Amino acid sequence: MINLNGVQSVDKFIENALYDKKYGYYSKKNPFGKKGDFVTAPLISPLFSEMILIWVVSYWIHLGKPKKFSFVELGPGNGAFCETFCKTLEKFPQFKKSVKIYLLEKSERLIKIQKNLLKDKNVTWIKNFNQIKNGPALFFGNEFFDSIPIKQFHVKKSNIYEKFIHFKSGKFKEFLFKKTSKKTFKKLKDFGLIRNAGVIEYPQKGFKILEPVIKKINMLGGGILLIDYGYTKAQGNDTLQSIKSHKKNIFYKNIGEADITYLVNFQLLNKFLLNKKLFLNNLVSQNFFLRKLGIIERAEILSKKLSFKEKSDIYYRLERLLSEKKMGGLFKVLFAANNKTRFNLGFK
Ligand SMILES: C[S@@+](CC[C@H](N)C(=O)[O-])C[C@H]1O[C@@H](n2cnc3c(N)ncnc32)[C@H](O)[C@@H]1O
């Protein structure tokens, strides 16, 4: 069904494998948690989501406490982030009065799961950004951009070939490479992506999804905070990765049963956002960002009344979020805003 007879580009293939309404991974499975395929930061510890809320409230204060403020979560997964965000919001009654929370989710199945978890919370699901009328608007996505399909190109003898996947009778047959059009070549060149060898990865779809977000930011004021697994200097590697039951999977196997992501090229994403005239903070690691926001101090306060076992659990979870070799170093935090709203908390 996921066009398993025929040839499709890498991004089309991922789109179908993850988001086909009936057979796609995100339509069939709840991928999160121990029983699922992977765990994300909000599931590791609520302290992650608390720190993001602290950052958002500080941003709102920095903007002069606007009476109306939109917070839009992109790709809320199983809703865990938003649940903690809403719970912690109770501690900030003034901000609570001003903020309106929106969720943009593509998977109908995940929307159901989110609606169940957040049934008593004051949040609105949206299909596009037309409903967001009040600004400033802050968009937030954790592991959002890396879940949007990418295109892959291979460089051979200074020509650029797009990568396609050929399936026959439901089985993977081979990769095919087609010389890319002049238009695409120019686009890659303009972004400085053309190289002498290796693989070029280009998030065409991701950029398309960001277009209306940027429009809203330019219209209403505000910004976008993105946290993702990625790098700052392209090495020409193929970064596609697939995970099933917390183990590596070959991305064209177990279609619809395994997640597929890639490593975000932050240098490219920065260029794209700068071209759109947004102002960018310097990129920092998740470790840097969360520490600056006081995650350790918060854990210390929480730990005071806890047993040794409970303390160890908090420590173990923080270690996963902060360790340089794990999420702390591998995940990066990006903030882009319209230039009237410079805000450096967590970035310096
Ligand atoms: C890897 S999950 C991350 C979930 C969550 N943010 C977390 O940290 O646990 C990616 C999420 O983005 C959603 N998603 C992917 N593409 C989307 C799109 N174009 N519009 C809205 N949601 C999308 C997926 O369905 C999923 O909820």
Side-chain angles (χ1 to χ4, degrees):
M1 288 304 120
I2 305 175
N3 199 358
L4 289 180
N5 268 309
V7 175
Q8 52 199 321
S9 58
V10 169
D11 58 338
K12 268 269 153 55
F13 167 76
I14 301 173
E15 178 71 29
N16 290 332
L18 296 185
Y19 302 109
D20 180 88
K21 284 215 156 37
K22 201 162 168 198
Y23 301 99
Y25 175 69
Y26 281 101
S27 309
K28 286 196 331 196
K29 278 188 103 174
N30 180 357
F32 304 96
K34 257 192 194 159
K35 286 188 191 147
D37 298 305
F38 58 87
V39 176
T40 56
L43 296 169
I44 291 174
S45 168
L47 290 185
F48 172 85
S49 312
E50 281 188 11
M51 290 305 115
I52 303 293
L53 174 76
I54 301 280
W55 188 89
V56 177
V57 175
S58 309
Y59 181 53
W60 171 76
I61 292 170
H62 172 81
L63 296 179
K65 300 187 179 175
K67 286 223 159 48
K68 289 187 173 172
F69 183 82
S70 301
F71 177 77
V72 189
E73 190 186 355
L74 306 166
N78 69 355
F81 168 83
C82 193
E83 191 193 21
T84 308
F85 190 93
C86 290
K87 260 192 212 160
T88 318
L89 198 59
E90 299 301 326
K91 301 235 155 66
F92 301 92
Q94 230 191 332
F95 177 65
K96 190 183 165 197
K97 259 194 216 159
S98 301
V99 69
K100 186 142 179 51
I101 301 170
Y102 298 94
L103 302 175
L104 180 88
E105 173 56 62
K106 184 169 170 138
S107 149
E108 290 300 331
R109 186 178 157 86
L110 286 181
I111 289 177
K112 262 192 207 147
I113 292 173
Q114 291 157 14
K115 284 196 168 160
N116 187 38
L117 187 70
L118 304 168
K119 53 182 172 291
D120 58 346
K121 305 283 188 274
N122 188 9
V123 298
T124 308
W125 280 263
I126 51 172
K127 290 269 168 234
N128 54 53
F129 302 114
N130 297 338
Q131 259 168 284
I132 300 164
K133 301 257 191 291
N134 295 312
L138 179 70
F139 295 81
F140 169 68
N142 183 57
E143 292 206 46
F144 170 69
F145 203 70
D146 76 353
S147 68
I148 302 168
I150 47 153
K151 282 192 173 295
Q152 282 191 324
F153 300 88
H154 280 232
V155 187
K156 276 182 205 152
K157 292 185 186 154
S158 24
N159 282 317
I160 309 293
Y161 296 86
E162 181 166 357
K163 186 171 178 178
F164 288 76
I165 308 174
H166 182 191
F167 283 95
K168 204 168 177 198
S169 313
K171 283 211 171 106
F172 170 78
K173 184 157 188 277
E174 62 197 333
F175 291 121
L176 295 173
F177 298 90
K178 293 187 193 173
K179 200 169 165 187
T180 190
S181 65
K182 278 195 180 136
K183 196 175 149 202
T184 307
F185 185 90
K186 183 172 180 320
K187 213 163 25 183
L188 299 177
K189 191 163 178 240
D190 289 347
F191 275 115
L193 290 173
I194 301 294
R195 46 189 308 121
N196 296 328
V199 178
I200 299 170
E201 296 189 327
Y202 183 66
Q204 180 163 295
K205 182 121 206 261
F207 286 168
K208 203 166 165 207
I209 289 170
L210 288 185
E211 293 277 354
V213 171
I214 295 163
K215 243 191 205 158
K216 277 284 160 191
I217 293 173
N218 281 329
M219 238 167 67
L220 301 172
I224 178 165
L225 182 72
L226 289 175
I227 304 184
D228 246 307
Y229 190 178
Y231 57 89
T232 48
K233 197 165 182 341
Q235 308 281 351
N237 296 331
D238 179 340
T239 75
L240 268 195
Q241 47 190 18
S242 177
I243 294 279
K244 184 175 174 341
S245 309
H246 303 267
K247 291 200 179 96
K248 279 189 180 165
N249 173 61
I250 296 173
F251 84 95
Y252 51 80
K253 290 194 173 163
N254 297 303
I255 301 162
E257 300 291 332
D259 191 28
I260 306 172
T261 57
Y262 77 106
L263 302 190
V264 173
N265 179 345
F266 279 99
Q267 195 184 34
L268 172 63
L269 186 53
N270 274 5
K271 254 188 207 168
F272 172 77
L273 294 165
L274 282 175
N275 284 350
K276 300 284 172 192
K277 308 277 178 271
L278 289 190
F279 174 86
L280 272 161
N281 282 3
N282 56 314
L283 196 72
V284 293
S285 68
Q286 176 168 296
N287 175 30
F288 185 92
F289 184 74
L290 293 177
R291 276 178 191 273
K292 284 280 169 185
L293 287 171
I295 196 165
I296 302 286
E297 289 78 359
R298 174 80 181 125
E300 262 168 21
I301 293 167
L302 277 179
S303 299
K304 276 192 182 133
K305 288 182 190 150
L306 298 181
S307 68
F308 176 73
K309 199 169 168 230
E310 288 164 329
K311 275 183 194 159
S312 317
D313 185 57
I314 292 190
Y315 176 83
Y316 164 75
R317 288 167 186 278
L318 276 198
E319 155 77 11
R320 282 186 73 181
L321 287 183
L322 300 179
S323 157
E324 282 294 337
K325 284 196 183 131
K326 297 180 193 159
M327 291 177 112
L330 304 172
F331 279 67
K332 312 279 187 287
V333 187
L334 174 155
F335 180 55
N338 72 326
N339 53 12
K340 283 177 225 135
T341 54
R342 280 187 81 153
F343 181 61
N344 279 326
L345 181 70
F347 291 86
K348 62 168 192 182

